[in-house]
Amino acid sequence: MIVILFIVILQMQGLGDKGKVYDSDKGKETNVTFQDVAGLEEEKTELIEIVEFLKKPKKFHEMGAKIPKGILLCGKPGTGKTLIAKAIAGEAGVPFISMSGSEFIEMFAGLGASRVRKLFEKAKKISPCIIFIDEIDAIGSRRTNASGAESENNQTLNQLLVEMDGFETNETIIVLAATNRPEMLDKALLRPGRFDRQIVIAAPDAKGREEILKIHAENKKIEPNVDLKEIALDTAGFTGAELANVLNEAAITATINKHTAITKTDIEDAVKKVTVGLEKHSRVISEKDKKLTAYHEAGHAIVSKFLETQLDVKEVSIIPRGVAGGYTMYKTNEDKYYVSKTEMKEKLVALLGGRAAEQVALNDISTGASNDIEVATEIAKDMVTKYGMSDKVGPINLEVKDKYEIQPLGENIDELVGQEVKVLIDTAYSKAQEILINNMDKLHAVSERLLEKEIISAEEFETFFK
Ligand code: ADP
Ligand code: ZN
C-alpha cells in the first residue's frame, strides 16, 4: 500500500510540475518590451545584441560571431531581472519559458534533473527562444559531497551543466538566469560557454526611480499636482517592485477613501506602509541613517583625495548596495604587480576615513564601519605577518610558523603581532581624523550634497576642492 501510495504521489508531483514549467505547448509570448523597463539604460544597450541575435541568428553565424549562451543577471529581488528577461523575448518576438530554482528544493530524487532536461528539450523544439531560470542559486550553489537534498541539488546542477554544453550556438537559445548571490554559484556554471557574462542590475537611483514611477503611473488616475520626482527623492533604496507596489497601494487607498484621483497624501501613506514593511527587513533608511551614511561616505572620499597613492574618486553614493548602506567608488588604474608599504598604509587611512568622519562630525560611531574595519585589520595583519613590513617583526613570514612549527621570535610572537597591527591601525585612524578635521568645511559640504542628491559624480566631487 505504502509503495503504491508513494508511486501515486510521485506521479501527481510529476504531473503538477508540467503545468508549472511549461506555460503552454509553445511557450509564452510576452508583450513586454524595453519601453516597459525604466532606467537600466546601459543594461538595455548591452542586451540589444541578444535581441538582434534572436531576430536574425543567421547574420551572426555567417559573420562567425559567437553570442553568449548564458547570461547571469545579478541583483536583489524586485530590481527588474525577470522584467528585463521578458522584455528581451518581447523585443525579439520569441517565446519565453521559465522555471525557478526554488521549485527544486523539495523535490523527489531525480525529478529536478529530469525537469531541467525537459525544459531544454522543449526549448530546442520552439527555438529561437529564451529560457529564464530565476533564483539559480537554489540549484547552482557550490557542489558538495553531501547526501540527501544536497545530492539532489548536485544532480540538478549537473544536468543543467550538461544541457548548457549540449546545445549548439546555432540553436538560438539564450539562457538568462537571475541571482542575488553570484558568489555562491558553483564556478563550473560561470565557465566559458555557460553563464560567462554577468550583468549587474542595481537598485535604481533617484532618476531611475522617477522613471519607474512614471511607467507605473501611466494606467492610474493621479492628481495633476503630484510630483513624481519628489516621491522618487523620498524613496531611496526602493526597488522597482517596491515602487510599483507604492503606487498600487496608493490606488487602493484612494479608492477606499473615495477620492476622484490618487492624491499626494495617498502616495505618502503608501510609502509609509511599504517602508514599515521594509523596516522589518531592516532595510528602511531613516533620515538619521542617511545622514550617518552621507558623512561616512564623504569621509572615505575626502580622505582619499588627500592621499597620494590612493585612486581618484569616481562616485560617492548613499544608495544602499548589497549589505552596504552606501559606497565610494574609485576610478580604476592600470594593473599593478606590486603594492608598496606607503600605499598599504594609505589604504588603511582611506578605509578608516568613514569611521573617522562619523567620529569627528557626528561625535558618535556606528556599526556601519564594520566591513571597513574588517578589511583594514586584515591588511594590517598581512603587512606584519606576510609581507614583512613591520620593523619589530622584520621580513619574516609568520604564516610559515604553523606549517613547520618554527617559532622564529619566541613565545610572545602573537602579542608582538597584535601590537604591531594595532600601531598600524591607530596611526592610520589618527591620520584620517587629522585630514578630516583640517577639512571640516568640505566634509559638511559633501555630506549635505549627498543627502540632497544621493549620488555625486567625480566631476562634481572635484568642484568642492576648487
Ligand atoms: P526580479 O526578477 O529582479 O525579482 P521583477 O522583474 O520580478 O524583479 O520585478 C517585479 C516588478 O517590479 C515588475 O513586474 C515591475 O512591475 C516592477 N519593476 C521592477 N523594476 C522595474 C523597472 N526597471 N521598470 C519598471 N518596472 C519595474
Ligand atoms: Zn565605509
Side-chain angles (χ1 to χ4, degrees):
M1 284 284 282
I2 289 169
V3 170
I4 291 170
L5 193 69
F6 187 73
I7 290 172
V8 169
I9 290 174
L10 201 68
Q11 279 186 340
M12 279 165 59
Q13 192 85 17
L15 289 176
D17 289 335
K18 267 184 198 158
K20 261 198 226 160
V21 176
Y22 310 133
D23 299 316
S24 76
D25 239 20
K26 290 179 118 181
K28 231 193 239 165
E29 302 274 348
T30 81
N31 45 14
V32 181
T33 67
F34 278 158
Q35 276 203 339
D36 301 306
V37 186
L40 301 173
E41 291 309 324
E42 278 161 35
E43 291 78 1
K44 281 192 263 183
T45 314
E46 197 174 343
L47 290 164
I48 277 181
E49 66 177 62
I50 304 296
V51 174
E52 289 300 316
F53 170 68
L54 288 167
K55 274 190 191 159
K56 297 184 185 112
K58 245 179 108 188
K59 268 194 172 172
F60 285 80
H61 294 315
E62 279 166 8
M63 196 64 76
K66 268 206 180 118
I67 287 289
K69 284 186 194 173
I71 297 173
L72 198 60
L73 303 173
C74 311
K76 61 177 183 173
T79 44
K81 299 183 294 296
T82 314
L83 188 70
I84 208 163
K86 280 187 181 158
I88 295 171
E91 289 282 338
V94 304
F96 175 89
I97 51 180
S98 67
M99 64 177 209
S100 170
S102 61
E103 290 166 27
F104 292 101
I105 289 172
E106 288 168 21
M107 211 173 259
F108 287 109
L111 258 184
S114 92
R115 212 197 234 197
V116 169
R117 206 183 59 239
K118 282 182 193 152
L119 186 78
F120 278 81
E121 255 169 33
K122 178 184 176 188
K124 282 176 199 165
K125 260 184 230 151
I126 62 171
S127 107
C129 70
I130 290 223
I131 297 182
F132 180 68
I133 307 175
D134 203 3
E135 298 176 74
I136 193 171
D137 40 285
I139 43 173
S141 38
R142 288 198 192 110
R143 277 172 291 187
T144 55
N145 295 322
S147 55
E150 291 277 349
S151 83
E152 166 60 16
N153 251 350
N154 290 352
Q155 279 186 38
T156 313
L157 173 58
N158 286 336
Q159 188 64 37
L160 182 59
L161 295 176
V162 167
E163 297 295 345
M164 290 290 295
D165 294 341
F167 73 85
E168 295 301 322
T169 26
N170 59 16
E171 253 157 328
T172 327
I173 300 170
I174 302 280
V175 189
L176 292 158
T179 181
N180 191 23
R181 296 179 295 175
E183 72 284 350
M184 294 274 294
L185 294 180
D186 198 296
K187 291 282 167 288
L189 263 177
L190 308 177
R191 284 209 198 109
R194 294 167 183 168
F195 294 97
D196 50 6
R197 195 179 297 179
Q198 288 194 19
I199 297 183
V200 176
I201 312 283
D205 59 9
K207 188 163 161 282
R209 293 199 298 275
E210 187 184 343
E211 280 164 17
I212 293 173
L213 286 167
K214 264 188 204 153
I215 282 191
H216 291 277
E218 258 165 31
N219 60 357
K220 293 188 179 64
K221 255 199 256 171
I222 299 187
E223 284 205 339
N225 69 343
V226 171
D227 185 3
L228 293 179
K229 189 170 185 177
E230 216 172 284
I231 296 156
L233 288 174
D234 287 342
T235 45
F238 278 48
T239 62
E242 284 158 353
L243 292 169
N245 192 15
V246 161
L247 287 186
N248 190 47
E249 289 285 346
I252 293 172
T253 317
T255 315
I256 289 173
N257 294 341
K258 299 197 170 71
H259 296 158
T260 47
I262 299 168
T263 65
K264 202 174 157 210
T265 338
D266 291 332
I267 299 180
E268 282 165 357
D269 285 349
V271 169
K272 254 182 241 156
K273 214 168 167 180
V274 175
T275 318
V276 175
L278 288 177
E279 207 166 22
K280 282 188 202 138
H281 308 107
S282 71
R283 266 160 59 203
V284 63
I285 308 172
S286 65
E287 284 306 311
K288 199 165 151 259
D289 279 356
K290 261 200 201 169
K291 189 169 170 191
L292 191 110
T293 311
Y295 274 94
H296 180 105
E297 296 308 330
H300 282 304
I302 291 168
V303 165
S304 309
K305 173 83 188 158
F306 289 92
L307 298 168
E308 196 83 2
T309 64
Q310 297 303 294
L311 296 169
D312 290 340
V313 169
K314 187 178 173 199
E315 189 174 283
V316 195
S317 157
I318 57 166
I319 299 170
R321 246 193 203 200
V323 284
Y327 57 89
T328 302
M329 234 154 58
Y330 297 93
K331 289 181 181 163
T332 44
N333 215 341
E334 78 275 27
D335 286 333
K336 272 195 301 192
Y337 292 110
Y338 304 115
V339 186
S340 72
K341 181 174 172 184
T342 313
E343 208 173 332
M344 287 180 105
K345 279 166 86 175
E346 292 197 348
K347 176 89 193 167
L348 295 180
V349 181
L351 277 166
L352 295 172
R355 161 61 64 92
E358 296 177 25
Q359 178 64 53
V360 302
L362 306 172
N363 195 26
D364 197 6
I365 51 180
S366 78
T367 55
S370 74
N371 186 254
D372 298 333
I373 291 173
E374 188 182 329
V375 176
T377 311
E378 219 156 275
I379 292 175
K381 194 202 105 209
D382 283 350
M383 288 173 76
V384 177
T385 63
K386 208 165 157 183
Y387 302 123
M389 287 175 176
S390 137
D391 292 335
K392 286 200 182 141
V393 176
I396 289 171
N397 185 330
L398 292 169
E399 284 167 7
V400 177
K401 183 186 82 169
D402 298 332
K403 227 175 177 175
Y404 304 107
E405 289 181 15
I406 315 170
Q407 296 235 320
L409 290 166
E411 276 170 17
N412 292 333
I413 184 65
D414 288 344
E415 206 179 315
L416 182 61
V417 168
Q419 281 166 5
E420 286 295 90
V421 168
K422 186 159 164 50
V423 169
L424 283 170
I425 296 280
D426 285 350
T427 315
Y429 189 49
S430 305
K431 174 84 186 165
Q433 283 185 311
E434 185 195 312
I435 294 174
L436 291 171
I437 288 169
N438 291 335
N439 292 281
M440 215 47 175
D441 52 331
K442 294 185 180 77
L443 180 58
H444 286 305
V446 173
S447 307
E448 268 151 33
R449 184 71 59 84
L450 268 175
L451 281 170
E452 200 179 297
K453 292 190 59 187
E454 295 180 5
I455 285 197
I456 297 182
S457 67
E459 297 74 45
E460 194 170 3
F461 181 67
E462 286 306 318
T463 61
F464 288 93
F465 298 90
K466 289 222 171 92

